[in-house]
Amino acid sequence: MPSDVEQWKDELYGTDIRAEIERFAEEGWDAIPDDEHDAWFERFKWYGLYHQRAGQESYFMMRIGPPGGVLEPGQFREIVEIADDFSRGPAENPVFGNGWIDVTTRQAIQLHWIRLEDVPEIFDRLESVGLSTVQACGDSWRNIVGCPVAGKDKHEHVDADALATELHDTFKRNEAHSNLPRKWKVSVTGCDEGCGQGDINDLAFEPAEKEIDGETVTGYNIRVGGGLSRNEPRFARDIDVFATPEQAVDVAGGISALFRDNGDRENRYNARIKFLMDEWGPEKFRETLQEEFVDFELHTAGEDLRESYSYNAGEADGKHDHVGVHEQPDGNYYVGLNVLVGRIGVDEAYDLADAADEYGSGEVRLTQRQNIVFTDVPEENVDDLRSEDVLEHYSPDPHPFQRGSIACTGTEFCSLSIVETKNRQVRYARWLVDNVELPDGVENFHVHLSGCTASCAQPQIADVSLRGMKTRKDGEPVEALDIGLGGGLGEDPQFAAWIAERVPADEVPGAIANLLENFEEARDSEAQSFREFVAEREDEELADLIEPEETDYDDPFMHNTKRTWYPYAEEDDLDESPAPAQADGTPIPSDD
């Protein structure tokens, strides 16, 4: 039996959803029948709209996904203006205020507190500058990720931006690929650093060379079946296929169609392609692709470049995340700015848009570490850009604890999350900067906080992985975190090992401080990275090194374990929620 979601999609999906969104926007929130909320909210995802958590009825998150994270001149500013006009809620966040944009780990931007009545105008404004929310969510081709400085990087072998854009143009709104069994995440890497994170994507294009008809061709090796979600992480597997740049789109279409026709549509938990790869293995997968889904002879894999992968590769002194000032091949510079947990307030976002226009080309790029990059900055403008006040907060030279911080949306808006995340990770990072010395030689240290097992913050590929849980402390329920260690990518990626469970949230900074002190004392040399140190030890020994401990760190959110409409509201009980709301924000009276 197909799942409920599959039945809803059979009734209506794809581009036909837009007319219904516009109809509901005109008629108002109440026009959506109560008993059809789940079906419509599932369909809305195809157009980048997620309904927010319980207590925030009638408010949506909107996701905007530019391929490869590239926002052309004028596009970032338009998003900021839309956030200013439409992305403000009925309560303030104590750290970020009211009105911001979130940069995601898939090079997209998310806006919150969006009202359905405003969506058609937002769609029109996005489309006026060449942007769209189409397939930013839902069971289809999600935003195509890749190297954030593709085409601007001295270290690339093939321009990943060209392929990412071609894939975007080919498969967005493509009816043959618009209704897949589950989400479809694609990565294109063209550089020798591996920052496209292909290993954790459903479909990965990675740079390679192949001798064809006596000539060396640079193109892509193909990997399939990666992903982090739930408790079933997988690294993408080599299917022994090399695609020339000219063949890449056809190969991608064949693999997408294979998934469309063979993925599990009865059990959504098993619907990702990683489970099909588990069942079939790479050899059968390649054989089926060749026989049924492409009409030309596939090349066997070429010589890959993975041995040079440096992005999140666990090197003690490696950064490789495109933060900082870097020369482009044309003599201009790109400047990568750290955005702590990916959130930018509207006022500061205007300042950043001004800086991108004044000192660079106006292009802004988004990274998978929730940061932003200005491109095409002439050398004579670099110092003036660095002196801008807004760069004191969004720095090209941040402390490693800030540079390495990633957090998902958390209980602020997400119905899946178990704990508060973004505000907490900001507080963690600031406390660590003020109180903890990194061991000598360690310039790179990643701490990822995910509110649940969905892994939107990609915790399994961090030095320290944090995953939301609940526990009891002093007889009271509190928010807690599982702690994992030693994850990362590079030539030989590895997932973090989950070492400690249900550590109260206020004891986590002390645990990290003690862990780093113990690491410094026990490691073989300054050249040994944290990841190498973890890989050499059994879980029991690592658990002894964590030592959770209370410190002067204060966590104002840890006791917020009840269901609330907004975790920071002064009156946060669900009964106090101002939602659902009319277009002007006034509450819609209950029928009770």
Side-chain angles (χ1 to χ4, degrees), residues 7 24 28 44 53 78 130 151 153 192 204 210 316 332 349 378 437 463 470 521 571:
Q7 294 181 52
F24 288 132
F44 289 177
R53 51 172 285 187
E78 183 61 40
D153 187 12
D192 58 14
K210 176 80 174 177
N332 290 322
E437 290 281 340
D463 295 297
K470 291 286 199 313
E521 292 177 359
E571 299 292 338

Side-chain angles (χ1 to χ4, degrees), residues 254-304:
I255 296 173
S256 173
L258 184 157
F259 176 51
R260 177 197 64 208
D261 294 352
N262 294 278
D264 190 340
R265 292 184 182 266
E266 296 182 359
N267 184 344
R268 287 182 65 77
Y269 186 85
N270 292 324
R272 297 294 295 274
I273 199 169
K274 62 186 177 183
F275 297 113
L276 183 63
M277 181 62 76
D278 286 349
E279 179 184 346
W280 283 10
E283 291 184 5
K284 179 178 178 179
F285 193 98
R286 187 191 197 282
E287 180 181 330
T288 305
L289 175 66
Q290 178 68 83
E291 293 179 355
E292 301 181 24
F293 294 97
V294 295
D295 59 4
F296 55 89
E297 188 70 24
L298 293 169
H299 298 294
T300 57
E303 181 180 352
D304 67 41

Side-chain angles (χ1 to χ4, degrees), residues 157 189 191-194 197-200 204 206-208 221 223 235-236 238 303-311 313 488-494 531:
H157 303 275
T189 298
C191 66
D192 58 14
E193 295 187 340
Q197 300 193 149
D199 283 304
I200 59 171
E206 298 192 324
N221 280 348
R223 289 177 179 255
F235 288 123
D238 183 358
E303 181 180 352
D304 67 41
L305 304 167
R306 290 177 64 87
E307 66 180 15
S308 68
Y309 278 12
S310 56
Y311 175 85
L489 299 177
E491 180 183 6
D492 297 306
Q494 66 187 43
R531 179 167 154 190

Side-chain angles (χ1 to χ4, degrees), residues 22-37:
E22 292 176 345
R23 176 174 69 85
F24 288 132
E26 182 176 355
E27 296 176 4
W29 165 260
D30 281 343
I32 307 176
D34 290 346
D35 60 352
E36 296 180 16
H37 277 188

Side-chain angles (χ1 to χ4, degrees), residues 91-104:
E92 287 209 354
N93 180 300
V95 173
F96 298 103
N98 200 340
W100 59 76
I101 65 174
D102 282 342
V103 181
T104 79

